[in-house]
Amino acid sequence: MVNDRGTIKWTSIMMPEHIEMLQKMWKEQDHEKMPILDEQQKEEINNKLLMAVANDLTVELKYFDNHDFYKVKGKITSINKQNKYISIAGQHLLFENIIDVWID
């Protein structure tokens, strides 16, 4: 059986620009896509955020940014409804990027 390593075997004779383009292409193939939330999920997230702010509770947020998923945990310091962002643990997250909320 032949051990085919694809384009990896050719990288030693490629120009640095070509290697960089291949690495960028491989990275883009791993990009995640933003899930689409329905109205019920958005309402549930909104209710949890409001409850956490009203009762000064610690929350863990899962959010989408730069083609990947991230989590942040902490207390919500402010909610800006006008600009549609939330401040937590020194970060400003857009409402539309929040995927899920867990209350501790």
Side-chain angles (χ1 to χ4, degrees):
M1 176 161 259
V2 177
N3 184 9
D4 184 22
R5 296 175 293 153
T7 56
I8 294 172
K9 63 184 171 190
W10 298 106
T11 55
S12 63
I13 59 172
M14 289 183 177
M15 295 176 65
E17 295 84 16
H18 294 147
I19 294 171
E20 185 178 318
M21 286 173 42
L22 279 174
Q23 289 173 342
K24 184 179 177 183
M25 181 187 72
W26 291 330
K27 188 175 181 179
E28 287 175 0
Q29 287 177 346
D30 293 338
H31 282 185
E32 299 288 339
K33 293 190 179 188
M34 172 80 173
I36 299 171
L37 302 177
D38 63 13
E39 290 301 317
Q40 184 177 1
Q41 290 170 318
K42 290 178 184 178
E43 189 64 32
E44 183 179 339
I45 289 171
N46 188 35
N47 289 338
K48 287 180 182 179
L49 290 174
L50 291 175
M51 184 172 66
V53 170
N55 297 319
D56 196 34
L57 301 173
T58 302
V59 296
E60 184 174 0
L61 300 178
K62 182 178 180 182
Y63 65 97
F64 183 82
D65 192 25
N66 293 329
H67 306 289
D68 209 358
F69 297 102
Y70 301 95
K71 287 186 179 180
V72 63
K73 187 173 186 176
K75 293 196 178 198
I76 299 171
T77 54
S78 68
I79 295 178
N80 188 329
K81 292 182 180 180
Q82 222 173 19
N83 296 329
K84 299 182 181 180
Y85 73 85
I86 182 173
S87 298
I88 182 171
Q91 295 180 343
H92 298 296
L93 306 175
L94 292 174
F95 283 136
E96 61 196 32
N97 291 347
I98 298 174
I99 298 168
D100 207 353
V101 177
W102 296 276
I103 297 177
D104 288 339

